[in-house]
Amino acid sequence: QVQPVESGGGSVESGGRLTLSCLVSGESFYYNVIGWFRQVPGKEREGVAFIYTTIDDTIYTDSVKGRFALSFALSQHNAKNSVNLQMNWLKPEDSALYYCVAGWVTGLWEIYDAATYKWWGQGTQVTVSS
């Protein structure tokens, strides 16, 4: 069983920074991408940033390019993968519930599709005030 668990988040003023972390337990051969979606009430979930765990390649949605940075690490001690999403120059429109996800992606056309990801965390709230 693969289980992402998020931490971090909170409230910050516009222009500030936050770091979200996600620890993914379970067998890593079930997924090749870990990423983040976000959702605000009344809107669909939006793919934000993704990383291929085997080649350490990152993909970002246009609205966060140059502001967000995703990094990946494998814990040698307990074989849990972790990712950090460093969010800089935050804007009020970045406010959302952020979900960490893990899944098997076979092509770029799937990467922003929420249905691609079998495992989801519980979500962590990010609020950016103007």
Side-chain angles (χ1 to χ4, degrees), residues 43-64:
K43 293 188 177 181
E44 292 187 357
R45 291 179 178 178
E46 175 192 22
V48 176
F50 304 90
I51 188 163
Y52 283 87
T53 58
T54 54
I55 59 174
D56 205 14
D57 189 23
T58 52
I59 295 173
Y60 301 94
T61 193
D62 286 346
S63 63
V64 307

Side-chain angles (χ1 to χ4, degrees), residues 2-126:
V2 176
Q3 181 61 59
V5 178
E6 305 100 337
S7 60
S11 298
V12 66
E13 292 185 351
S14 181
R17 60 176 61 181
L18 285 172
T19 299
L20 304 183
S21 298
C22 178
L23 189 63
V24 183
S25 60
E27 294 295 340
S28 61
F29 55 73
Y30 286 122
Y31 59 91
N32 63 347
V33 171
I34 300 174
W36 293 88
F37 279 79
R38 64 187 180 186
Q39 188 172 27
V40 297
K43 293 188 177 181
E44 292 187 357
R45 291 179 178 178
E46 175 192 22
V48 176
F50 304 90
I51 188 163
Y52 283 87
T53 58
T54 54
I55 59 174
D56 205 14
D57 189 23
T58 52
I59 295 173
Y60 301 94
T61 193
D62 286 346
S63 63
V64 307
K65 285 181 182 177
R67 299 189 298 121
F68 289 14
L70 189 58
S71 60
F72 166 77
L74 174 65
S75 170
Q76 298 295 335
H77 173 65
N78 55 13
K80 291 183 179 181
N81 286 335
S82 65
V83 294
N84 286 328
L85 182 65
Q86 177 66 50
M87 305 185 294
N88 304 310
W89 298 107
L90 282 163
K91 304 175 181 180
E93 52 263 43
D94 294 318
S95 298
L97 188 62
Y98 282 72
Y99 295 93
C100 181
V101 300
W104 190 270
V105 175
T106 56
L108 283 177
W109 62 92
E110 293 181 317
I111 204 158
Y112 288 105
D113 186 352
T116 299
Y117 301 91
K118 185 175 181 179
W119 297 281
W120 290 70
Q122 78 284 359
T124 185
Q125 180 67 39
V126 171

